[in-house]
Amino acid sequence: DTGVSQDPRHKITKRGQNVTFRCDPISEHNRLYWYRQTLGQGPEFLTYFQNEAQLEKSRLLSDRFSAERPKGSFSTLEIQRTEQGDSAMYLCASSLAGGPSEQFFGPGTRLTVL
Amino acid sequence: AQSVTQPDIHITVSEGASLELRCNYSYGATPYLFWYVQSPGQGLQLLLKYFSGDTLVQGIKGFEAEFKRSQSSFNLRKPSVHWSDAAEYFCAVGGSEYGNKLVFGAGTILRVKS
């Protein structure tokens, strides 16, 4: 297994455009998490899935953000009508469910909104 | 509410010197504790974790951490720092009561001088 992968690694967009990011977790992991990291800060939790069910969303996740994990494998995070404040690194992580487990992180997608 | 405090934003140590990075947490249940390292523009790599049992845990790259419940601390240590250890270090807390989502500190940037 090659670990968690994310695509694209970098995205530059203009304000008001929509963007979509993809995350492919470690294949046997049934939990998938999205975090956002801004400069000088630690990652902040956005949402997580167990299999295809989205179990929790942070209040950071405004109605412009939507995440899916349609078949319990890869996940997408879409941001509609991007704003400059959305510029950040978006990190995906996966883990096993049931009991304590570590999260394995992908390399992240760096979003720049002009 | 869950929170993590890393009091030191930057630390500079000489190569070969010992290192201690501080982490204090606030958590309303049995905490799972983690230290991650992040190189510039990269995702997070797990250094070590504490779930239960022995309060002194060993990790990769010669790092160790000690869980002190009475002080709500989980400080990271290394007896002899190498230039390649220069990076940003994040302490995180999570637990099954909160879906295992992680709450991160703001990070400590480690600089190593030769």
Side-chain angles (χ1 to χ4, degrees):
Chain A
D1 196 343
T2 56
V4 179
S5 61
Q6 294 187 244
D7 184 69
R9 294 290 306 277
H10 303 273
K11 179 71 177 178
I12 300 174
T13 191
K14 294 182 179 179
R15 189 175 53 188
Q17 298 295 304
N18 299 343
V19 295
T20 300
F21 310 141
R22 177 180 171 124
C23 171
D24 287 89
I26 293 172
S27 57
E28 63 267 28
H29 286 181
N30 42 14
R31 280 201 176 157
L32 187 150
Y33 301 79
W34 285 100
Y35 294 84
R36 180 171 67 187
Q37 185 179 22
T38 54
L39 203 61
Q41 298 298 317
E44 295 176 292
F45 168 78
L46 292 179
T47 188
Y48 88 96
F49 295 83
Q50 183 158 315
N51 301 313
E52 65 275 11
Q54 188 174 18
L55 296 187
E56 186 173 347
K57 293 192 293 185
S58 163
R59 63 178 184 274
L60 293 175
L61 214 65
S62 76
D63 57 5
R64 297 185 298 105
F65 287 70
S66 63
E68 294 183 340
R69 194 182 183 197
K71 297 183 179 179
S73 57
F74 72 91
S75 175
T76 59
L77 178 68
E78 181 184 15
I79 309 174
Q80 296 182 326
R81 305 180 304 280
T82 52
E83 302 173 355
Q84 288 185 325
D86 297 330
S87 296
M89 174 80 90
Y90 290 84
L91 294 164
C92 176
S94 70
S95 76
L96 294 169
S101 62
E102 60 200 72
Q103 293 181 23
F104 293 84
F105 282 80
T109 295
R110 169 75 65 188
L111 173 66
T112 302
V113 181
L114 301 176
Chain B
Q2 313 136 69
S3 66
V4 175
T5 301
Q6 293 181 247
D8 304 305
I9 299 173
H10 297 99
I11 282 187
T12 300
V13 299
S14 297
E15 191 169 15
S18 63
L19 170 71
E20 182 169 29
L21 301 182
R22 295 182 291 164
C23 172
N24 292 94
Y25 68 90
S26 173
Y27 199 72
T30 303
Y32 303 145
L33 294 157
F34 306 84
W35 275 98
Y36 285 87
V37 61
Q38 186 177 39
S39 297
Q42 301 300 311
L44 299 167
Q45 181 184 22
L46 181 71
L47 287 175
L48 47 77
K49 59 187 182 286
Y50 172 79
F51 292 153
S52 65
D54 193 346
T55 56
L56 184 64
V57 294
Q58 303 297 320
I60 62 171
K61 304 184 181 184
F63 286 93
E64 66 178 28
E66 186 171 12
F67 170 55
K68 293 185 177 180
R69 186 184 298 275
S70 62
Q71 298 177 21
S72 297
S73 70
F74 189 58
N75 294 348
L76 182 71
R77 300 194 294 251
K78 186 169 185 178
S80 177
V81 169
H82 188 263
W83 64 265
S84 60
D85 294 325
E88 190 161 17
Y89 292 79
F90 292 95
C91 181
V93 65
S96 57
E97 293 85 355
Y98 299 99
N100 286 324
K101 67 185 179 193
L102 297 179
V103 175
F104 285 85
T108 298
I109 296 172
L110 173 64
R111 299 187 178 119
V112 181
K113 59 182 181 181
S114 54

